[in-house]
Amino acid sequence: MKICQQLIQLYVNESQAESLRLTSKTYQKACNWLSEKVVVSKNLNQRQLNNLYYKELRQRFGLKSQMAQSVMKTVIASYKSAQSNGHEWSLVHYKHPSYDVVWNRDYSLNERLFSVNTLAGRIKLPFESKGMQKYFNDDWKFGTAKLVYKFNKWFLHIPMTKGIPLLKEQDVTNIVGIDLGINFLATSYDSKGKTTFFNGRKVKHKRGQFKAVRKSLQQRQTTSARKRIRAIGQRENRYVRDVNHQVTKALVERYPKGTLFVVEDLTGIRQATEKVHVKNRYVSVSWAFYQFRQLLEYKAQLYGHKVMVVSPKYTSQTCPKCGHIAKRNRNKKTHTFTCVNCSYQSNDDRIGAMNLYRKGMAYISDTVMVKV
Ligand SMILES: [Zn+2]
């Protein structure tokens, strides 16, 4: 299963802009109103929220039925996300106008037009389609999108999946983001907010040793040296494979059946052969990561889990607390992450796992949690 997210710019005339403004402002107000109720009642059960607030949401804000449903989903998702980041019941405030729209219900999209329900009725808008074409002719599915207003322009964030239909909440018992790194071979972050580090230092050291021996042998041009180089290469491969087996096994056994593992698509890095500095030696790691993912996918299937592969875009630069994206957030040397916006601090491998977890969450709750 592949997922990705696209941001497209919408082209609007004055009256369309007015419809979008009115709708997204109303949506924002409704979310803030419901958020204040939820933080008091401490209830995130959709059916119960529906019984309690649906009528009032519609009357007070003049929302259509579907919009009222989406408001509840948005608020529930925000609180679940905040809680998974360790913020138990602190008030979620929606700072900017936005509007979550469900595919084929609130919006549709073809090569030319974006069509969306607003409080003033259905409107159809052209959009910047560059880079979008390939998603129309393949078997990509569009998820719940988010309409946002930024830099005096209107944008639509659209999550997309390919391969299997969008997962439903009831199919998934747990979400685990897995970040693959060097110091920690794998770092996982789960629905309970627990971080687990699978130490990779030993692996790094061992692979460095293999490399050093290989190098010294390379300087001798003898047949026996070449033979030994090959043997060492095979031993190294077996070693890494063995470690990958152990870690992926630990992961699939650790979590309950129905877990959704979220990993990065590192195939780009595999080509580029990412190099990591280890005491004046360089260790190529990319093929090991690729193998890790293959083994995880294989084992996940046996254990009744799923693996979701997402784009690695911004996973190491995004603040999981406030959503701020900045290269400066991350200090690669000290392996620390410090948000330049809200000062949130953590280990950088953990940040990666948290952000992958969030990407998984966004799918399950069927609501895109793009911070605006
Ligand atoms: Zn932050």
Side-chain angles (χ1 to χ4, degrees), residues 319-324 337 339-344:
C319 173
K321 196 177 152 198
C322 76
H324 187 76
F337 178 100
C339 177
V340 293
N341 182 46
C342 76
S343 314
Y344 181 73

Side-chain angles (χ1 to χ4, degrees), residues 53 185 190 256:
Y53 304 119
L185 183 77
D190 63 36

Side-chain angles (χ1 to χ4, degrees), residues 116-139:
V116 65
N117 272 334
T118 71
L119 288 172
R122 193 99 177 166
I123 56 172
K124 289 180 180 178
L125 311 168
F127 59 90
E128 174 54 60
S129 58
K130 217 173 107 194
M132 269 304 285
Q133 287 91 345
K134 61 178 171 177
Y135 299 108
F136 292 112
N137 48 31
D138 242 333
D139 56 344

Side-chain angles (χ1 to χ4, degrees), residues 41-54:
S41 66
K42 295 190 174 29
N43 187 347
L44 291 180
N45 180 293
Q46 175 142 14
R47 191 174 301 161
Q48 286 169 17
L49 288 183
N50 200 63
N51 290 340
L52 287 167
Y53 304 119
Y54 171 76

Side-chain angles (χ1 to χ4, degrees), residues 27-84:
Y27 196 89
Q28 177 199 9
K29 279 184 195 158
C31 285
N32 279 325
W33 179 82
L34 185 63
S35 178
E36 280 172 22
K37 302 284 175 200
V38 162
V39 82
V40 173
S41 66
K42 295 190 174 29
N43 187 347
L44 291 180
N45 180 293
Q46 175 142 14
R47 191 174 301 161
Q48 286 169 17
L49 288 183
N50 200 63
N51 290 340
L52 287 167
Y53 304 119
Y54 171 76
K55 264 199 191 140
E56 201 177 344
L57 263 176
R58 293 199 57 183
Q59 281 167 2
R60 193 177 267 265
F61 300 98
L63 298 181
K64 292 173 183 165
S65 161
Q66 296 158 354
M67 251 181 237
Q69 298 289 348
S70 291
V71 164
M72 286 188 270
K73 279 194 170 178
T74 298
V75 173
I76 291 169
S78 300
Y79 275 91
K80 283 189 176 169
S81 165
Q83 285 176 2
S84 73

